[in-house]
Structures are given as C-alpha cells and as structure tokens.
Amino acid sequence: MLDRAPLQAAQREAFRADVLEGLSKPAKTLPSRWLYDDRGSELFEEITQLPEYYPTRTETAILRAGAEAIAAFCGPRATLIEYGAGAGVKTEIVLAALDNPASYVPVDIAGDFLALSAERLERRFPWLEIRAVVADFTDDFDLPTDLPRLNRRIGFFPGSTIGNLSPAQAVAFLAQVGAHVGDTGRAVVGVDLVKPLERLIPAYDDAAGVTAAFNLNLLVRINRELGGTFDTARFAHEARWSVEDQAIEMHLKSLGRQVVRAAGREFEFAEGETIHTESSRKYSVDTFTALAAQAGWRQGSVWSDPDGLFAVVGLERA
C-alpha cells in the first residue's frame, strides 16, 4: 500500500503557507483547492445534486448522449487519466463507453474520498486496472511509471473545474496534461459557458445552504488542521459576479469586527471584509479553445446541450 504520510505532511505545510500568505494580503484570499478535504468533497457531491446546480446534470446528459462519439475520439485501449476525480459518476459513463480501455488513473487531493471512489469503480469494472494517485493536480506530479506506454492516453477533466483556475493556471495545467499524455494523447474537458446571471448566481448560492456549508467548511478545516479560532457563525457565504474576470466568485464575509488566530498568527477582520475562496470562470467555446492553444492544444470535437449551457471539448495536440 502507498505510504501517504509524506504527501500528507507536505500538503499540511502547503496549506499552512497558503493560509498565512492569503490572510496577510490586503484583500484576503485562499486557494480553492483547500475547499476539498474529505468533508468538502462530500459537500460538493451534495451540491451536484441540487436543483439550482445545472453543470453536473447538464454535463452528465452530454456525456451520455455523446458517449459513442467521445469513445471514438479517445480510441481503443486508451488509458484514462482523470484530474480531480471526485466521486467518479461521470467517469462511469466514459469508461463504460470506451473500447477496451487499458487502465484508469484517478488523481485527487482528498485521499480517503479518492480511495472510496476507486473501490466503487473497481466493483463496477473488475477487469480494469485502476491506479489511484493522491496529488494536487494543480501542482507538478508524476504518473505511475509502469502505465502502458503504447496506448493513447486521455486527460479527462470534467465538471467545469477548469474555470476554478486563473488563465495562467489553466494554461500551466493544460500544459502538464499535455506532458502526461504525450504527443499522441488527447483531452476531454468540461467547460461551463457564459449565461445570464439569474441562472448562474443560484447555482453558487442555493436555497438549502449546501454551498454555504461547503465554503464555511474551509474555516472548519483551518480550525482543525492549523489551530484556528474561526467562529463560522460570524462569517457568511457570498456569491458575486466579476464582470472583469467573467467569473462567479465565492467569498466568506465577516459579519463584524473580529480577530482570528490561525497557524500561530492573528488576523484582523473589519465588518464586511471577505476572504475570496473561489472563482468559477465562464467561457465560450472559442475563448476556451484560444486558452488551450497557449498550452499546445487544438480543438478536435465539441459536444454540448440544446440550451448551450455547457460544453465538453475534445482537444488534440497541436
């Protein structure tokens, strides 16, 4: 069994460094990757089932409708590498459609959650080699060295997670995917498209408060892992639209003046001051393709829904 202790220690130190840096800025911010501890991953899966959250069910419908064409795009005996694997529900659709896939490599930062997902897929596809990798896919990391080398590799990045990355981060990530899959490899990426705010805002601020719990869980994590003293009742979840970035932003807003400790330091909050925890950028197919081109990709195929809410983009090496 893989010894995860060194990786977990490195992640804790990275978390500590990001918290100290982010909360020390004039405009406080924390990287969205830290939202996804095991509890955060569970809450996000709940979010995907909410009536307001259209991306998951829309993308799932696209994958089901286009499964045969997506499988043809990927080719036979492919190795599927999924970044930010999560619960793997969409993965089942793709794996079931692929022509005799050689192996599946799920990559996720939440190790326990990843292990449960891998076990479920092993029961669903007992003949398939599954090689789970616990890693932060936004950082440099290596794939298992003994993966099949003669088969085409496919980078699979569903869920519109590409929108959580800044343009520079997205280009760096897509370049790393290119390095992982090689010159003959391909990628299948979920992209949330620009749409009216009355559809966007509720998807990130649902009536049941699940997204709020997901966002506030980051403070719970800081308390647990970094000796924080955040009172979650004194912060509120807020979703807003950034015209400049074409993105929904998630913030945690301080409900009063307060001083909070975390990672051995004190941080002051004014009433109404926020911590920016996530941006979810929205693209058109053309703007996303132009972004991917900067990382050495070109558009191959595009699958979308009738209402133009979401796109699954097949990329080929340029």
Side-chain angles (χ1 to χ4, degrees):
M1 181 178 292
L2 176 66
D3 180 9
R4 289 169 41 207
L7 177 61
Q8 290 172 333
Q11 287 180 352
R12 280 195 298 272
E13 181 54 35
F15 183 38
R16 178 180 180 278
D18 281 347
V19 167
L20 289 174
E21 179 184 1
L23 296 185
S24 298
K25 293 178 179 178
K28 294 178 173 64
T29 184
L30 292 171
S32 62
R33 61 180 177 166
W34 302 117
L35 291 163
Y36 297 90
D37 63 352
D38 289 331
R39 178 56 180 157
S41 296
E42 291 172 356
L43 285 167
F44 182 73
E45 291 306 317
E46 289 184 36
I47 290 170
T48 66
Q49 304 302 313
L50 294 169
E52 298 97 329
Y53 196 77
Y54 63 86
T56 298
R57 62 176 175 271
T58 304
E59 184 180 30
T60 300
I62 293 169
L63 292 173
R64 286 198 174 109
E68 185 176 335
I70 293 170
F73 176 80
C74 294
R77 295 291 297 161
T79 289
L80 190 73
I81 305 165
E82 183 174 7
Y83 300 85
V89 175
K90 298 167 193 169
T91 316
E92 285 195 41
I93 299 170
V94 175
L95 287 174
L98 289 178
D99 179 5
N100 195 23
S103 56
Y104 169 57
V105 184
V107 181
D108 202 274
I109 195 171
D112 293 339
F113 194 77
L114 176 63
L116 290 173
S117 298
E119 288 171 6
R120 184 177 59 80
L121 287 170
E122 285 173 348
R123 292 192 296 270
R124 174 69 172 81
F125 304 100
W127 45 267
L128 180 65
E129 180 185 36
I130 298 179
R131 303 290 303 279
V133 175
V134 180
D136 178 357
F137 64 78
T138 63
D139 288 339
D140 290 335
F141 68 94
D142 295 323
L143 296 176
T145 57
D146 56 348
L147 289 178
R149 294 185 176 277
L150 299 180
N151 307 87
R152 176 181 287 165
R153 295 181 177 184
I154 307 296
F156 186 43
F157 196 44
S160 72
T161 310
I162 193 74
N164 297 147
L165 307 179
S166 71
Q169 290 170 332
V171 171
F173 166 73
L174 290 170
Q176 175 168 245
V177 175
H180 285 165
V181 303
D183 292 341
T184 62
R186 293 183 174 182
V188 176
V189 182
V191 180
D192 198 10
L193 303 178
V194 176
K195 58 186 63 63
L197 290 187
E198 56 265 27
R199 192 69 181 267
L200 278 173
I201 295 292
Y204 295 86
D205 193 10
D206 60 278
V210 182
T211 310
F214 170 67
N215 203 10
L216 287 162
N217 181 65
L218 180 54
L219 304 184
V220 176
R221 181 178 187 178
I222 292 173
N223 289 348
R224 182 181 68 248
E225 298 185 18
L226 298 177
T229 61
F230 282 95
D231 180 354
T232 57
R234 301 197 67 194
F235 286 84
H237 166 71
E238 183 179 273
R240 63 175 74 156
W241 175 250
S242 168
V243 175
E244 180 180 359
D245 292 334
Q246 291 289 282
I248 292 285
E249 294 181 352
M250 292 204 319
H251 291 255
L252 290 166
K253 182 171 68 174
S254 177
L255 299 180
R257 292 184 60 85
Q258 54 185 309
V259 177
V260 176
R261 289 189 62 83
R265 293 261 302 278
E266 288 189 346
F267 301 95
E268 295 185 3
F269 286 85
E271 182 175 0
E273 186 177 4
T274 73
I275 308 171
H276 180 188
T277 56
E278 183 179 77
S279 289
S280 184
R281 290 168 178 80
K282 310 304 172 185
Y283 293 95
S284 68
V285 171
D286 287 344
T287 57
F288 172 70
T289 301
L291 183 81
Q294 298 178 50
W297 296 94
R298 61 181 174 84
Q299 180 183 308
S301 299
V302 178
W303 302 272
S304 189
D305 61 287
D307 296 326
L309 299 176
F310 200 96
V312 174
V313 182
L315 298 174
E316 301 174 358
R317 300 300 288 154

